[in-house]
Amino acid sequence: MAVRTAQSKEAGRVPLPLTSRTDRWWIKPLLTVIVLGFFALYGMFRAFENQYFEFGPYLAPFYSPHLPIHLNLFGWNVSPAIYILIFPLSFRLTCYYYRLAYYRAFFWDPPACAIAEPAKRKNYTGERRFPLILQNIHRYAFYAAVVIFLILAYDTVRSFFWDDGFHVGLGSVIFVVNIIPLAMYTFSCHSFRHLIGGKVNCYSCTLASRTRYGIWKQVSFLNARHSLYAWVSLFSVLIADLYVRFVAAGAIQDFRFF
Ligand code: FES
């Protein structure tokens, strides 16, 4: 049960979030701030870096697809990663799970269950008005994410084919390991679950509705673990991108199994 002290109200200051909880409830939001904050900084760095994104058949996920677009703004070569990033970023930013995570960790809205918010927000309209109404683009961001996923899956297959033939390098293995949680994350999305199982009045009436029901049950199974896939896929993308960056920059050598 959340409580606030009378003194903090009298002092007229923003009261600290007070609670009768005695566990370390603050660890989760703190970790969220650290991990998401780091990922945001890394994403920005990579988006602007505009180099070290390709080595042999390896293409860094942040720079995929390899678009033949070369924008030049006032002498500055705009990195293609900036306009590629818009799609996966809008998918992750509007994801129902990530909303929960960053509303709690960054906005303290509230920071955890049974913890008071730091201050009452005036004119709070939730996600019904600008800017948070933009969260509703999630279903469309999902379609873009599926396209990006298919491109990354193609990159994964392509990573085995070098100029001198078929090889298995550590980079290809990392790409394969990356694509699995990415698939789990993309296809455990709430929007996909609704797309598969929503707007059906009778699941047993036709072959099509029975098929949809079968797929919906599988998606629901994945959906229950959506938060896990959200975190694992975040790290797997990061590791795949870092690996290509280091190999392309010559900082490490690609280990070839055969
Ligand atoms: Fe998380 Fe759709 S709800 S990706």
Side-chain angles (χ1 to χ4, degrees), residues 91 94-98 138 142 185-186 188-191 226:
F91 185 53
T94 59
C95 163
Y96 297 139
Y97 169 69
Y98 279 117
H138 187 66
F142 168 75
Y185 174 61
T186 306
S188 63
C189 170
H190 293 63
S191 291
H226 188 59

Side-chain angles (χ1 to χ4, degrees), residues 70-87:
H70 301 286
L71 277 182
N72 192 293
L73 287 182
F74 311 109
W76 171 53
N77 277 329
V78 180
S79 163
I82 292 175
Y83 35 85
I84 292 168
L85 205 60
I86 293 169
F87 301 102

Side-chain angles (χ1 to χ4, degrees), residues 196 212-222:
I196 292 295
R212 286 182 68 180
Y213 180 62
I215 302 172
W216 177 81
K217 279 205 297 188
Q218 306 301 324
V219 175
S220 298
F221 176 81
L222 291 178

Side-chain angles (χ1 to χ4, degrees), residues 90-113:
S90 58
F91 185 53
R92 295 224 178 218
L93 266 184
T94 59
C95 163
Y96 297 139
Y97 169 69
Y98 279 117
R99 283 188 223 178
L100 176 141
Y102 68 72
Y103 283 176
R104 284 186 170 180
F106 287 87
F107 305 144
W108 284 34
D109 212 6
C113 290

